[in-house]
């Protein structure tokens, strides 16, 4: 292992988090200040299906003395399952990226209305209006906003309980949705100069065959990275996906997936380092760092 590689895996990079531009509760500026306070050296804001916060995030990162990579987290449907693909280091003005994300956001309004109708049937009235109070970006109403409303009404003690009881498959507020294709999402990212990363792979309920198909097709479309260390993984899962990264020849990413001081277990930058011997995604993105 080269000395250079050993050094670069210990960078405090946080390449996954959310602002009020999607389903986080802090502004890009508040996130940048919090990241800096926690020792982050390289940061990316990765709002769901949206890059409207990128300019503010880059400016805030620079004002704090941090390096910055553009970011987003694209919702994809693969094998009838929602998978998240993080894009890093792309050109945030690229028209195909902007159009693709806009189309991906497009179905959220109707989906939210339907979620509200289903919740009304189990006695929860006014969920759409209730969720809207928490929405920072009218194009990005998400299940997280419904979860905050259900906590507010006292129906559940926290957002995890809301997801368990109402907003996941088989539960009364769950509405299946078709997102972008894996191929489109990876191409929007790579053709705008970025690097595509499979987000929090341990979160998906795939069979071994389906997971193998996901990684194989992702690579075939030009995907080059996987999140190994994330707020969504246990230590054992990080070890497991470090092996997967080696097996598929993928670079490794690291990110908290921070959404809110009140909801997130993992704070910005407060994660184990990447295991040594892996290629960090930031090594492949050196010329995209701002
Ligand atoms: P959506 O894009 O509208 O389907 O919402 C997905 C978001 O819901 C994720 O990005 C998470 O922020 C949040 N989420 C999903 N599952 C859970 C869970 N079990 N507990 C808390 N938040 C969750
Ligand atoms: Mn989210
Ligand atoms: Mn995600
Ligand atoms: Mn996320």
């Amino acid at each position: 292992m080269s000395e250079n590689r050993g050094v670069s895996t210990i960078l405090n990079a946080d390449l996954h988090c959310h602002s009020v531009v999607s389903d986080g509760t802090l502004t890009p500026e508040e996130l940048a200040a919090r990241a800096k306070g926690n020792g982050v050296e390289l940061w990316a804001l990765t709002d769901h299906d949206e890059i409207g916060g990128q300019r503010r995030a880059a400016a805030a990162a620079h004002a704090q003395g941090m390096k910055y990579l553009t970011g987003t987290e694209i919702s994809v449907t693969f094998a009838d399952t929602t998978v998240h693909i993080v894009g890093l280091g792309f050109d945030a003005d690229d028209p195909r990226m902007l159009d693709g994300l806009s189309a991906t956001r497009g179905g959220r309004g109707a989906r939210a209305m339907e979620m509200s109708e289903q919740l009304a049937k189990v006695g929860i009235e006014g969920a759409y209006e209730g969720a809207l109070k928490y929405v920072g970006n009218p194009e990005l109403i998400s299940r997280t906003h419904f979860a905050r409303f259900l906590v507010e009404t006292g129906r559940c003690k926290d957002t995890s309980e809301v997801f368990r009881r109402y907003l996941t498959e088989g539960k009364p507020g769950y509405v299946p949705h078709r997102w972008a294709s894996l191929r489109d999402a990876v191409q929007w990212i790579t053709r705008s100069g970025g690097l595509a990363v499979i987000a929090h792979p341990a979160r998906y309920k795939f069979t071994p065959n389906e997971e193998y198909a996901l990684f194989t097709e992702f690579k075939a479309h030009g995907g080059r990275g996987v999140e190994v260390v994330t707020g969504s993984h246990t230590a054992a899962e990080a070890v497991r996906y470090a092996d997967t990264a080696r097996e598929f020849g993928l670079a490794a990413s690291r990110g908290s997936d921070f959404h809110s001081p009140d909801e997130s277990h993992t704070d910005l930058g407060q994660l184990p380092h990447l295991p040594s011997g892996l290629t960090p995604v930031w090594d492949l993105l050196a010329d995209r760092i701002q």
Side-chain angles (χ1 to χ4, degrees), residues 10-232:
I10 65 167
L11 184 75
N12 192 344
D14 192 328
L15 306 180
H16 189 151
C17 68
H18 301 272
S19 77
V20 289
V21 173
S22 64
D23 62 348
T25 62
L26 301 185
T27 62
E29 292 78 13
E30 288 166 338
L31 286 168
R34 192 177 181 100
K36 178 67 181 183
N38 288 350
V40 171
E41 298 160 280
L42 173 65
W43 180 51
L45 172 66
T46 56
D47 279 309
H48 297 284
D49 308 325
E50 174 65 275
I51 54 178
Q54 292 304 305
R55 231 177 265 283
R56 282 172 66 184
H62 296 154
Q64 295 286 351
M66 289 184 295
K67 300 218 163 88
Y68 190 75
L69 280 167
T70 55
T72 186
E73 183 178 18
I74 306 180
S75 310
V76 157
T77 302
F78 181 85
D80 290 331
T81 300
T82 300
V83 167
H84 287 167
I85 301 295
V86 163
L88 297 170
F90 51 83
D91 169 7
D93 296 319
D94 182 86
R96 279 182 301 197
M97 172 68 102
L98 288 163
D99 289 351
L101 293 181
S102 172
T104 307
R105 290 194 296 274
R108 283 186 178 268
R111 171 193 189 232
M113 300 279 209
E114 210 178 314
M115 285 171 65
S116 188
E117 283 165 26
Q118 290 202 18
L119 289 169
K121 286 185 194 150
V122 294
I124 302 169
E125 300 291 340
Y128 180 76
E129 294 72 19
L132 266 189
K133 286 188 299 180
Y134 293 94
V135 169
N137 171 2
E139 286 188 36
L140 218 117
I141 183 162
S142 88
R143 285 186 289 162
T144 313
H145 302 112
F146 281 83
R148 290 183 185 136
F149 169 66
L150 266 70
V151 171
E152 173 199 308
T153 62
R155 219 163 251 281
C156 295
K157 69 174 192 321
D158 57 26
T159 52
S160 304
E161 187 187 341
V162 183
F163 276 90
R164 215 164 44 244
R165 288 177 50 196
Y166 294 101
L167 303 181
T168 39
E169 208 172 336
K171 300 299 159 62
Y174 182 74
V175 174
H177 193 74
R178 188 146 290 274
W179 302 104
S181 70
L182 179 64
R183 180 188 139 130
D184 281 351
V186 172
Q187 289 189 351
W188 297 333
I189 295 163
T190 54
R191 290 180 179 172
S192 56
L195 189 138
V197 176
I198 297 177
H200 43 62
R203 287 248 304 260
Y204 313 123
K205 307 273 181 281
F206 284 135
T207 63
N209 279 348
E210 286 169 338
E211 187 180 85
Y212 185 84
L214 170 68
F215 277 84
T216 305
E217 290 183 34
F218 173 74
K219 266 210 90 167
H221 295 314
R224 296 182 69 196
V226 58
E227 282 184 349
V228 170
V229 173
T230 116
S232 298

